[in-house]
Amino acid sequence: LIGRVREVSKEHPAFGTLKQGDRIATLVSLTLTPLVIETVRGIRPEIDRIDITGHAILFASGIFAKLPSDLPDTLSLAALDVAGAPALVARWVKPGQTVVMLGAGKSGALCLAQARELMAGNGTLIALDISQPALDALKNIGLCDHVVACDATKGVDVMQKVSDLTNGAMADLVVNCASVGNTEMASILSVKNGGTVIFFSMATSFTAAALGAEGVGKDVTMLVGNGYVPGHADLTLELLRKNAKLRGLFEQRYT
């Protein structure tokens, strides 16, 4: 959420850093944020946003970012909502890899932009999504080398498409940013033995992932993105500043 600081406790770590009236975006889930909604002023499903009048409490452990002055608030909020994804991807992407991205939404686009920057032209980026227009938007701004329109709940179909694109070598890294459930096997089947899968989807089932990998005899490292990586807010906003086409896509979709 975006809000204006009303008060900072003297015991809060941000005391002296934040002052009354500062505008911030919280970087913790709203499921963990005490929030009082007084009035719903507008519902905007096309950009996944609700405008309200209300107040919230950010605990001492709650992370936040001051809103930058050079980016629109709505643009910053859209990016900060998924800031943990590209920051964690930055730890695992290496030049020369084949990286598969499941999901062409906010987090998928930012992860591809981060991977593209780190790979510096040495490697292959493949984006998969059920929406062809979403994939075309990523391809048109140079965020990936190949796009595949497919249903990620059909693991064998996804595996075959990745196999065709990689001549059977499969992916070194699969990043799952899909917004639907039952996509665990598509991720596991698409990665090579010894590879890595990062699950950013909140619909991920630990049972399906763990038992699925066992069931198909796949030796794969599986990570659950927890949404927080030190410096993730600055990294994500910097991606928008450096990549004008990525920023344009976000402005078109979310502002």
Side-chain angles (χ1 to χ4, degrees):
L1 62 80
I2 283 177
R4 191 180 301 276
V5 175
R6 177 182 296 177
E7 182 181 0
V8 184
S9 167
K10 292 182 179 180
E11 289 76 31
H12 197 285
F15 184 77
T17 303
L18 287 179
K19 61 181 184 299
Q20 187 177 26
D22 282 347
R23 305 193 71 245
I24 65 171
T26 64
L27 300 176
V28 293
S29 171
L30 289 181
T31 60
L32 299 174
T33 305
L35 175 64
V36 174
I37 298 176
E38 298 161 2
T39 305
V40 175
R41 296 162 50 194
I43 300 175
R44 297 187 283 169
E46 71 281 0
I47 56 173
D48 305 323
R49 197 159 299 144
I50 299 175
D51 298 325
I52 72 155
T53 298
H55 64 272
I57 298 172
L58 191 62
F59 294 120
S61 60
I63 50 179
F64 64 90
K66 284 188 177 182
L67 288 170
S69 59
D70 61 326
L71 297 173
D73 290 351
T74 49
L75 179 64
S76 298
L77 183 61
L80 292 173
D81 181 40
V82 292
L88 185 57
V89 164
R91 290 181 175 179
W92 291 89
V93 168
K94 296 179 177 60
Q97 287 182 330
T98 295
V99 179
V100 167
M101 191 70 52
L102 288 182
K106 285 187 290 188
S107 53
L110 287 167
C111 288
L112 285 169
Q114 180 61 63
R116 176 67 85 196
E117 179 178 298
L118 292 175
M119 294 166 73
N122 181 12
T124 303
L125 295 175
I126 302 171
L128 298 92
D129 196 278
I130 201 167
S131 169
Q132 187 66 54
L135 291 169
D136 291 340
L138 299 184
K139 185 72 179 294
N140 290 339
I141 63 173
L143 291 186
C144 51
D145 303 296
H146 305 285
V147 296
V148 180
C150 60
D151 183 349
T153 65
K154 299 179 179 178
V156 175
D157 291 349
V158 173
M159 176 189 70
Q160 189 58 57
K161 292 179 185 299
V162 173
S163 180
D164 292 343
L165 284 172
T166 62
N167 293 319
M170 310 311 287
D172 299 286
L173 174 67
V174 175
V175 184
N176 188 329
C177 296
S179 58
V180 296
N182 198 30
T183 62
E184 295 84 5
M185 289 311 298
S187 305
I188 292 166
L189 291 172
S190 297
V191 73
K192 63 177 62 173
N193 273 311
T196 303
V197 177
I198 301 177
F199 289 105
F200 276 108
S201 170
M202 291 297 100
T204 299
S205 163
F206 169 81
T207 304
L211 297 183
E214 177 191 50
V216 297
K218 183 64 74 79
D219 174 23
V220 56
T221 298
M222 294 185 288
L223 306 172
V224 177
N226 72 357
Y228 173 64
V229 176
H232 65 327
D234 291 338
L235 178 147
T236 300
L237 294 177
E238 194 60 27
L239 283 174
L240 293 177
R241 293 188 179 101
K242 292 186 293 188
N243 191 324
K245 292 181 178 179
L246 175 67
R247 174 172 175 168
L249 177 64
F250 266 66
E251 289 175 338
Q252 179 184 0
R253 286 181 175 178
Y254 305 113
T255 67

